[in-house]
Amino acid sequence: MTTVDKKLYDCDATLTDTQVLDFCKNGYLLLEGVVPDEVNRKSLAHCDEESFYEPTSILQQDWFLEHVICNRAAAGAVRSLLGADFHLPVLMSNHRFTAPGPAQGWHVDGNFKFGPELNNLQVFYYPQDTPLEMGPTQVMPGSHLVRNKARFMAHLDGIRGMVSTTAPAGSIFITAYQIWHRRGPAS
């Protein structure tokens, strides 16, 4: 295997056709509590030790690769959405912050090409319980299908139909890369 080959991954698809169509329509999928508690504890400890915004070294930990990145439920969902031989991440970001804090402005992460095709995903992992009070990511279902500019969305606050991704520890949340999202207000 070459270095590039090591970054590719294939597994069995795990989503039904209905789940794939729901994702294509809404732009997100929540897999609740699919990572074991021991891995959640190790992940939090690692991020406490390496408090840098991008703790990419966690991707070199076998336990993290096996139970989070190549998690059967998450990888199977990604396989269902992107097809065989998808690329594993080479960058990891840590979005924890100290509450209280206001919501972010609505935005789409940069470096994507807008279109109806599903070529890229964002994958969020919650190693701890994430109730509404912690300000979890909020998404606008279906917004990945509407080309819009930040200046038309960033100033908006709560939008009817938005979804707060509250979830128990060990949950993995997958979105279409171009979905409108923000960090919710945290109390």
Side-chain angles (χ1 to χ4, degrees):
M1 257 187 183
T2 67
T3 304
V4 173
D5 291 337
K6 290 181 183 179
K7 294 178 186 173
L8 296 177
Y9 188 71
D10 195 16
C11 59
D12 293 333
T14 58
L15 298 182
T16 66
D17 290 346
T18 299
Q19 290 171 310
V20 169
L21 290 172
D22 284 345
F23 182 91
C24 290
K25 177 178 81 172
N26 295 314
Y28 71 94
L29 171 69
L30 179 60
L31 303 167
E32 289 192 5
V34 295
V35 177
D37 288 337
E38 176 62 24
V39 174
N40 296 330
R41 286 191 292 278
K42 285 182 178 182
S43 298
L44 287 170
H46 185 91
C47 288
D48 287 342
E49 290 173 19
E50 186 182 339
S51 59
F52 182 58
Y53 176 69
E54 293 178 341
T56 302
S57 66
I58 200 168
L59 293 172
Q60 298 166 1
Q61 303 296 320
D62 289 340
W63 53 267
F64 190 81
L65 186 64
E66 177 183 349
H67 294 286
V68 179
I69 301 298
C70 297
N71 176 284
R72 183 182 182 286
V78 171
R79 165 64 167 86
S80 300
L81 297 168
L82 295 181
D85 295 327
F86 56 87
H87 289 266
L88 295 178
V90 295
L91 176 72
M92 183 67 55
S93 295
N94 181 352
H95 291 312
R96 293 189 304 169
F97 78 104
T98 303
Q104 278 182 318
W106 289 99
H107 64 280
V108 174
D109 290 344
N111 202 21
F112 76 94
K113 181 180 177 184
F114 182 83
E117 304 88 14
L118 184 60
N119 295 316
N120 299 293
L121 300 171
Q122 293 184 94
V123 181
F124 300 84
Y125 161 52
Y126 294 170
Q128 63 192 37
D129 289 338
T130 309
L132 195 58
E133 295 79 15
M134 288 184 72
T137 299
Q138 296 176 326
V139 297
M140 283 301 308
S143 63
H144 61 295
L145 300 172
V146 180
R147 187 175 197 145
N148 203 342
K149 298 203 181 277
R151 67 179 179 259
F152 299 130
M153 293 280 291
H155 70 285
L156 298 174
D157 191 21
I159 300 173
R160 188 179 344 193
M162 71 181 180
V163 173
S164 291
T165 62
T166 59
S171 296
I172 295 178
F173 180 65
I174 301 170
T175 72
Y177 194 81
Q178 67 268 30
I179 199 166
W180 284 87
H181 64 283
R182 70 177 186 171
R183 181 190 68 234
S187 59

